[in-house]
Amino acid sequence: QVQLVESGGGLVQAGGSLRLSCAASGSIRRINVMGWYRQASGKQRELVAIISIDGNTNYADSVKGRFTISGDNAKKTVTLQMNSLKPEDTAVYYCKADAQTYGVGGSNRDYWGQGTQVTVSS
């Protein structure tokens, strides 16, 4: 019912910047929370940054001061501006949305994008 498409991943040198974007589509009544998680090779998936419909944000301690998340409720998009990138930021980044759909079976639930690779070289 809900599809999430990420873009903006790639290869960048340490200290550089990337901007990730995620667009949601489908029979969406409301998106409560939307944001980004990442999973490095051999590690657990972890929260990077999320933003709620009222604009409140949460960041992982490791990215505070370097990453900024923003959202557009009308366009159903979220953007992650990543500055001062470090090799330890290398991971697959996944967009996630906590959303409610129209019609039957429209309870709030999580939806995930396919992921986009971010690689930071030293």
Side-chain angles (χ1 to χ4, degrees), residues 85-117:
L85 283 162
K86 304 174 181 179
E88 50 262 46
D89 295 317
T90 296
V92 177
Y93 284 68
Y94 296 91
C95 181
K96 191 193 82 171
D98 172 11
Q100 183 182 47
T101 57
Y102 288 105
V104 296
S107 299
N108 292 328
R109 62 183 66 210
D110 291 339
Y111 299 88
W112 292 89
Q114 67 177 354
T116 184
Q117 177 71 48

Short mmCIF file of all heavy atoms in Angstrom, two decimals, residues 85-117:
data_model
loop_
_atom_site.label_atom_id
_atom_site.label_comp_id
_atom_site.label_asym_id
_atom_site.label_seq_id
_atom_site.Cartn_x
_atom_site.Cartn_y
_atom_site.Cartn_z
N LEU A 85 31.20 13.95 6.42
CA LEU A 85 31.07 12.50 6.43
C LEU A 85 32.37 11.82 6.83
O LEU A 85 33.46 12.29 6.51
CB LEU A 85 30.61 12.00 5.07
CG LEU A 85 29.12 12.21 4.79
CD1 LEU A 85 28.83 12.12 3.30
CD2 LEU A 85 28.29 11.19 5.56
N LYS A 86 32.22 10.71 7.54
CA LYS A 86 33.33 9.92 8.03
C LYS A 86 33.24 8.51 7.47
O LYS A 86 32.16 8.04 7.13
CB LYS A 86 33.30 9.85 9.56
CG LYS A 86 33.28 11.20 10.27
CD LYS A 86 33.11 11.02 11.77
CE LYS A 86 33.07 12.36 12.48
NZ LYS A 86 32.88 12.19 13.94
N PRO A 87 34.36 7.80 7.39
CA PRO A 87 34.31 6.42 6.91
C PRO A 87 33.34 5.55 7.70
O PRO A 87 32.72 4.65 7.11
CB PRO A 87 35.76 5.93 7.08
CG PRO A 87 36.57 7.16 6.92
CD PRO A 87 35.75 8.25 7.58
N GLU A 88 33.17 5.81 8.99
CA GLU A 88 32.25 5.02 9.79
C GLU A 88 30.79 5.28 9.46
O GLU A 88 29.90 4.59 9.97
CB GLU A 88 32.49 5.24 11.29
CG GLU A 88 32.57 6.70 11.70
CD GLU A 88 34.00 7.20 11.80
OE1 GLU A 88 34.80 6.91 10.89
OE2 GLU A 88 34.32 7.87 12.80
N ASP A 89 30.50 6.28 8.61
CA ASP A 89 29.15 6.50 8.13
C ASP A 89 28.80 5.56 6.98
O ASP A 89 27.64 5.53 6.55
CB ASP A 89 28.96 7.94 7.66
CG ASP A 89 29.08 8.95 8.79
OD1 ASP A 89 28.52 8.69 9.87
OD2 ASP A 89 29.72 10.00 8.58
N THR A 90 29.76 4.83 6.47
CA THR A 90 29.52 3.90 5.38
C THR A 90 28.50 2.84 5.79
O THR A 90 28.67 2.16 6.79
CB THR A 90 30.82 3.22 4.95
OG1 THR A 90 31.72 4.21 4.43
CG2 THR A 90 30.57 2.17 3.88
N ALA A 91 27.43 2.72 5.01
CA ALA A 91 26.35 1.79 5.32
C ALA A 91 25.31 1.86 4.22
O ALA A 91 25.35 2.73 3.35
CB ALA A 91 25.70 2.14 6.67
N VAL A 92 24.37 0.92 4.28
CA VAL A 92 23.16 1.03 3.48
C VAL A 92 22.16 1.83 4.30
O VAL A 92 21.88 1.48 5.45
CB VAL A 92 22.58 -0.34 3.11
CG1 VAL A 92 21.28 -0.17 2.34
CG2 VAL A 92 23.58 -1.13 2.28
N TYR A 93 21.64 2.88 3.73
CA TYR A 93 20.69 3.75 4.41
C TYR A 93 19.28 3.43 3.93
O TYR A 93 19.01 3.40 2.73
CB TYR A 93 21.02 5.22 4.14
CG TYR A 93 22.21 5.71 4.92
CD1 TYR A 93 23.49 5.24 4.64
CD2 TYR A 93 22.05 6.63 5.96
CE1 TYR A 93 24.58 5.67 5.38
CE2 TYR A 93 23.13 7.07 6.69
CZ TYR A 93 24.40 6.59 6.40
OH TYR A 93 25.48 7.02 7.13
N TYR A 94 18.39 3.20 4.90
CA TYR A 94 17.02 2.82 4.61
C TYR A 94 16.05 3.90 5.07
O TYR A 94 16.13 4.37 6.21
CB TYR A 94 16.65 1.53 5.33
CG TYR A 94 17.43 0.32 4.88
CD1 TYR A 94 18.62 -0.04 5.50
CD2 TYR A 94 16.96 -0.47 3.83
CE1 TYR A 94 19.33 -1.15 5.09
CE2 TYR A 94 17.67 -1.59 3.43
CZ TYR A 94 18.85 -1.92 4.06
OH TYR A 94 19.55 -3.03 3.66
N CYS A 95 15.13 4.25 4.22
CA CYS A 95 14.04 5.15 4.59
C CYS A 95 12.94 4.34 5.26
O CYS A 95 12.62 3.23 4.82
CB CYS A 95 13.50 5.86 3.34
SG CYS A 95 12.17 7.03 3.65
N LYS A 96 12.36 4.89 6.31
CA LYS A 96 11.24 4.24 7.00
C LYS A 96 10.14 5.25 7.25
O LYS A 96 10.40 6.40 7.59
CB LYS A 96 11.70 3.64 8.34
CG LYS A 96 10.65 2.73 8.96
CD LYS A 96 10.95 2.39 10.41
CE LYS A 96 10.49 3.49 11.34
NZ LYS A 96 10.57 3.08 12.77
N ALA A 97 8.90 4.79 7.10
CA ALA A 97 7.74 5.62 7.39
C ALA A 97 6.76 4.86 8.26
O ALA A 97 6.45 3.70 8.00
CB ALA A 97 7.05 6.06 6.09
N ASP A 98 6.30 5.51 9.32
CA ASP A 98 5.19 5.02 10.14
C ASP A 98 3.95 5.71 9.58
O ASP A 98 3.77 6.91 9.78
CB ASP A 98 5.43 5.37 11.59
CG ASP A 98 4.23 5.08 12.49
OD1 ASP A 98 3.27 4.42 12.04
OD2 ASP A 98 4.27 5.51 13.66
N ALA A 99 3.11 4.94 8.89
CA ALA A 99 2.01 5.54 8.14
C ALA A 99 0.71 4.79 8.33
O ALA A 99 0.70 3.60 8.66
CB ALA A 99 2.35 5.61 6.65
N GLN A 100 -0.39 5.50 8.10
CA GLN A 100 -1.72 4.93 8.08
C GLN A 100 -2.28 5.05 6.68
O GLN A 100 -2.17 6.11 6.06
CB GLN A 100 -2.63 5.64 9.08
CG GLN A 100 -4.02 5.05 9.17
CD GLN A 100 -4.91 5.80 10.14
OE1 GLN A 100 -4.96 7.04 10.11
NE2 GLN A 100 -5.61 5.08 11.00
N THR A 101 -2.89 3.99 6.17
CA THR A 101 -3.45 3.99 4.83
C THR A 101 -4.96 4.11 4.86
O THR A 101 -5.59 3.93 5.91
CB THR A 101 -3.06 2.71 4.06
OG1 THR A 101 -3.48 1.56 4.80
CG2 THR A 101 -1.55 2.65 3.86
N TYR A 102 -5.54 4.42 3.71
CA TYR A 102 -6.99 4.48 3.57
C TYR A 102 -7.59 3.08 3.51
O TYR A 102 -6.91 2.10 3.20
CB TYR A 102 -7.38 5.23 2.30
CG TYR A 102 -7.14 6.72 2.36
CD1 TYR A 102 -6.07 7.29 1.69
CD2 TYR A 102 -8.01 7.54 3.05
CE1 TYR A 102 -5.86 8.66 1.72
CE2 TYR A 102 -7.80 8.91 3.10
CZ TYR A 102 -6.73 9.46 2.43
OH TYR A 102 -6.53 10.82 2.48
N GLY A 103 -8.89 3.00 3.81
CA GLY A 103 -9.63 1.77 3.67
C GLY A 103 -9.38 0.77 4.77
O GLY A 103 -8.76 1.08 5.80
N VAL A 104 -9.87 -0.44 4.55
CA VAL A 104 -9.69 -1.51 5.52
C VAL A 104 -8.22 -1.88 5.62
O VAL A 104 -7.46 -1.75 4.65
CB VAL A 104 -10.53 -2.75 5.15
CG1 VAL A 104 -12.00 -2.42 5.20
CG2 VAL A 104 -10.16 -3.26 3.77
N GLY A 105 -7.83 -2.34 6.78
CA GLY A 105 -6.42 -2.66 6.99
C GLY A 105 -5.53 -1.45 7.05
O GLY A 105 -4.34 -1.55 6.73
N GLY A 106 -6.10 -0.33 7.45
CA GLY A 106 -5.36 0.93 7.45
C GLY A 106 -4.76 1.32 8.79
O GLY A 106 -4.60 2.51 9.05
N SER A 107 -4.43 0.36 9.61
CA SER A 107 -3.80 0.65 10.89
C SER A 107 -2.40 1.19 10.67
O SER A 107 -1.76 0.94 9.65
CB SER A 107 -3.75 -0.60 11.76
OG SER A 107 -5.04 -1.08 12.04
N ASN A 108 -1.92 1.93 11.66
CA ASN A 108 -0.55 2.43 11.59
C ASN A 108 0.45 1.28 11.56
O ASN A 108 0.34 0.32 12.32
CB ASN A 108 -0.26 3.32 12.79
CG ASN A 108 -1.03 4.62 12.78
OD1 ASN A 108 -1.33 5.17 11.72
ND2 ASN A 108 -1.36 5.13 13.97
N ARG A 109 1.43 1.39 10.67
CA ARG A 109 2.47 0.39 10.58
C ARG A 109 3.69 0.98 9.90
O ARG A 109 3.63 2.06 9.31
CB ARG A 109 2.00 -0.86 9.85
CG ARG A 109 1.60 -0.64 8.41
CD ARG A 109 1.08 -1.95 7.82
NE ARG A 109 -0.15 -2.36 8.48
CZ ARG A 109 -0.54 -3.61 8.64
NH1 ARG A 109 0.22 -4.61 8.21
NH2 ARG A 109 -1.69 -3.88 9.23
N ASP A 110 4.80 0.26 10.00
CA ASP A 110 6.06 0.70 9.42
C ASP A 110 6.23 0.20 8.00
O ASP A 110 5.91 -0.95 7.69
CB ASP A 110 7.24 0.22 10.26
CG ASP A 110 7.33 0.90 11.61
OD1 ASP A 110 6.77 1.99 11.77
OD2 ASP A 110 7.98 0.33 12.51
N TYR A 111 6.77 1.06 7.15
CA TYR A 111 7.09 0.72 5.77
C TYR A 111 8.55 1.07 5.52
O TYR A 111 9.05 2.07 6.04
CB TYR A 111 6.19 1.46 4.79
CG TYR A 111 4.73 1.14 4.96
CD1 TYR A 111 3.95 1.86 5.85
CD2 TYR A 111 4.14 0.10 4.25
CE1 TYR A 111 2.61 1.56 6.02
CE2 TYR A 111 2.79 -0.20 4.41
CZ TYR A 111 2.04 0.54 5.31
OH TYR A 111 0.71 0.23 5.47
N TRP A 112 9.23 0.26 4.72
CA TRP A 112 10.66 0.41 4.48
C TRP A 112 10.97 0.54 3.01
O TRP A 112 10.35 -0.11 2.16
CB TRP A 112 11.43 -0.79 5.03
CG TRP A 112 11.43 -0.89 6.52
CD1 TRP A 112 10.52 -1.52 7.31
CD2 TRP A 112 12.40 -0.34 7.41
NE1 TRP A 112 10.86 -1.40 8.63
CE2 TRP A 112 12.01 -0.68 8.73
CE3 TRP A 112 13.57 0.39 7.22
CZ2 TRP A 112 12.75 -0.31 9.85
CZ3 TRP A 112 14.30 0.77 8.33
CH2 TRP A 112 13.90 0.42 9.63
N GLY A 113 11.94 1.38 2.70
CA GLY A 113 12.47 1.46 1.35
C GLY A 113 13.48 0.35 1.10
O GLY A 113 13.82 -0.43 2.00
N GLN A 114 13.98 0.26 -0.12
CA GLN A 114 14.91 -0.80 -0.48
C GLN A 114 16.33 -0.54 -0.02
O GLN A 114 17.14 -1.46 0.02
CB GLN A 114 14.90 -1.01 -2.00
CG GLN A 114 15.47 0.16 -2.78
CD GLN A 114 15.51 -0.10 -4.28
OE1 GLN A 114 15.21 -1.20 -4.74
NE2 GLN A 114 15.87 0.91 -5.04
N GLY A 115 16.65 0.70 0.32
CA GLY A 115 17.98 1.06 0.78
C GLY A 115 18.83 1.66 -0.32
O GLY A 115 18.69 1.33 -1.49
N THR A 116 19.74 2.54 0.08
CA THR A 116 20.69 3.15 -0.84
C THR A 116 22.07 3.15 -0.18
O THR A 116 22.21 3.45 1.00
CB THR A 116 20.25 4.58 -1.23
OG1 THR A 116 21.14 5.11 -2.21
CG2 THR A 116 20.21 5.51 -0.03
N GLN A 117 23.08 2.79 -0.96
CA GLN A 117 24.43 2.64 -0.43
C GLN A 117 25.13 3.99 -0.30
O GLN A 117 25.14 4.79 -1.24
CB GLN A 117 25.26 1.73 -1.33
CG GLN A 117 26.72 1.55 -0.90
CD GLN A 117 26.85 0.73 0.37
OE1 GLN A 117 26.26 -0.33 0.48
NE2 GLN A 117 27.65 1.23 1.32
#
